Amino acid sequence: MIKKLKFIKVKKTLFVLAMFPYLGVIALLIAYINYHDKIYPNILVSGINIGGLQKEEAYSTLYKKIKKAEKINLKLGSDTYTMNVADFDFSYDFKRTVDIAFEYGRSGDILTDLEHVIATVVYGNSQNYSINFDGVKLDKQLKAIAAKIITVPQMPKVFLNSQGLQIEKGSPGNDIDIEKLKKDLILALKTGDYTNLNIIKVLVDPTLTETEVQVLEKRAKNLIGKSLLVSINEEQYKISDQAIVES
């Protein structure tokens, strides 16, 4: 009797496992029928829920609720650098944004679609706006801002004059990571969140240490009084010790 019960339980388990793919297809079919012309539930674009809406409804909802930025402020400490989005032809692509949201769970791959539909119903799905902009113009604006911030470092120099061997240690400057700033800016435009647009200044310091100066001085002194004779196309050129030291 016990063996018979165990057999029945195993048989039921196997039946459920065998039916699982079909149940998944049925669940996906039901979802498709209920939302055949609508975006699947709990799909959000930058925090705006457009799940259950038809495309035109979703388009209208996003257009009305979006916080359209005309100017963007980039922060560097207490300084603010303002960019006009019109200067790099920025715009939201509402049609593409809605199309991407609508196509979520409609790839044609049953298992992938089933996974996406279940996940968005249970957990939701967050997406960003699709945007358009002129990358060349954006780069130009960012470089113009960078030019106001960057301090060009002075590279070390070695030269030989009437006073003998001279070594300039160089001096530090600073730079900014334009590529990171650009990525942060694009993400802010896609999400509509402009709260963390901070410019990070990076120290660039080619200054020689005292030890490096001593090593360089020793090498340079070994070259004083020496020259090179170079032959090019049967023509000979003499390179002086000054040119060698300063190269």
Side-chain angles (χ1 to χ4, degrees):
M1 184 67 180
I2 295 174
K3 289 184 177 179
K4 189 174 182 181
L5 288 173
K6 286 184 177 178
F7 177 74
I8 292 172
K9 287 182 179 179
V10 170
K11 198 171 181 181
K12 284 183 177 178
T13 302
L14 291 174
F15 176 77
V16 171
L17 290 174
M19 288 298 295
F20 184 78
Y22 298 100
L23 294 173
V25 172
I26 292 170
L28 189 61
L29 184 61
I30 292 171
Y32 180 77
I33 291 172
N34 289 334
Y35 291 91
H36 72 280
D37 62 345
K38 298 175 183 177
I39 296 167
Y40 285 127
N42 293 338
I43 291 182
L44 290 79
V45 174
S46 297
I48 302 172
N49 195 337
I50 58 173
L53 300 180
Q54 294 180 335
K55 284 188 175 184
E56 287 300 322
E57 294 173 328
Y59 183 99
S60 177
T61 298
L62 293 178
Y63 187 81
K64 290 176 182 177
K65 291 187 177 182
I66 191 170
K67 297 176 182 177
K68 298 177 182 178
E70 295 181 359
K71 295 183 179 181
I72 295 176
N73 293 323
L74 307 178
K75 297 283 187 178
L76 176 60
S78 59
D79 296 327
T80 300
Y81 299 87
T82 302
M83 299 177 66
N84 294 313
V85 297
D87 291 340
F88 53 92
D89 300 337
F90 169 77
S91 64
Y92 291 102
D93 191 335
F94 291 105
K95 183 181 183 304
R96 186 163 179 268
T97 301
V98 171
D99 285 344
I100 291 172
F102 183 82
E103 291 302 321
Y104 188 79
R106 292 181 167 91
S107 69
D109 184 317
I110 293 177
L111 292 178
T112 300
D113 289 343
L114 180 61
E115 179 186 351
H116 285 173
V117 171
I118 292 173
T120 191
V121 170
V122 177
Y123 303 108
N125 176 263
S126 295
Q127 301 181 7
N128 294 326
Y129 285 98
S130 293
I131 60 175
N132 300 313
F133 62 91
D134 188 317
V136 174
K137 291 181 179 179
L138 176 59
D139 288 342
K140 186 177 180 180
Q141 281 211 13
L142 290 176
K143 287 177 182 177
I145 290 173
K148 298 175 183 178
I149 300 170
I150 292 172
T151 302
V152 180
Q154 298 301 312
M155 301 303 292
K157 293 180 181 179
V158 182
F159 52 94
L160 195 61
N161 56 25
S162 58
Q163 296 178 346
L165 181 66
Q166 306 292 320
I167 297 178
E168 291 182 358
K169 296 169 63 175
S171 61
N174 59 64
D175 201 352
I176 65 171
D177 189 339
I178 291 184
E179 286 304 313
K180 182 182 183 307
L181 181 58
K182 182 179 179 180
K183 288 179 181 178
D184 291 346
L185 176 59
I186 291 172
L187 180 60
L189 291 168
K190 287 181 176 181
T191 61
D193 181 4
Y194 308 99
T195 56
N196 295 312
L197 284 175
N198 297 312
I199 300 172
I200 299 175
K201 191 184 291 187
V202 181
L203 176 67
V204 180
D205 191 1
T207 307
L208 297 176
T209 64
E210 288 301 326
T211 300
E212 290 171 332
V213 170
Q214 291 173 10
V215 171
L216 185 60
E217 184 178 23
K218 183 178 179 180
R219 290 177 179 174
K221 284 181 177 179
N222 289 334
L223 296 173
I224 296 175
K226 297 179 181 179
S227 61
L228 288 175
L229 194 62
V230 179
S231 295
I232 302 176
N233 296 329
E234 298 182 357
E235 294 285 341
Q236 289 190 331
Y237 302 89
K238 184 178 181 180
I239 303 175
S240 68
D241 57 354
Q242 181 179 3
I244 296 172
V245 168
E246 295 178 358
S247 63

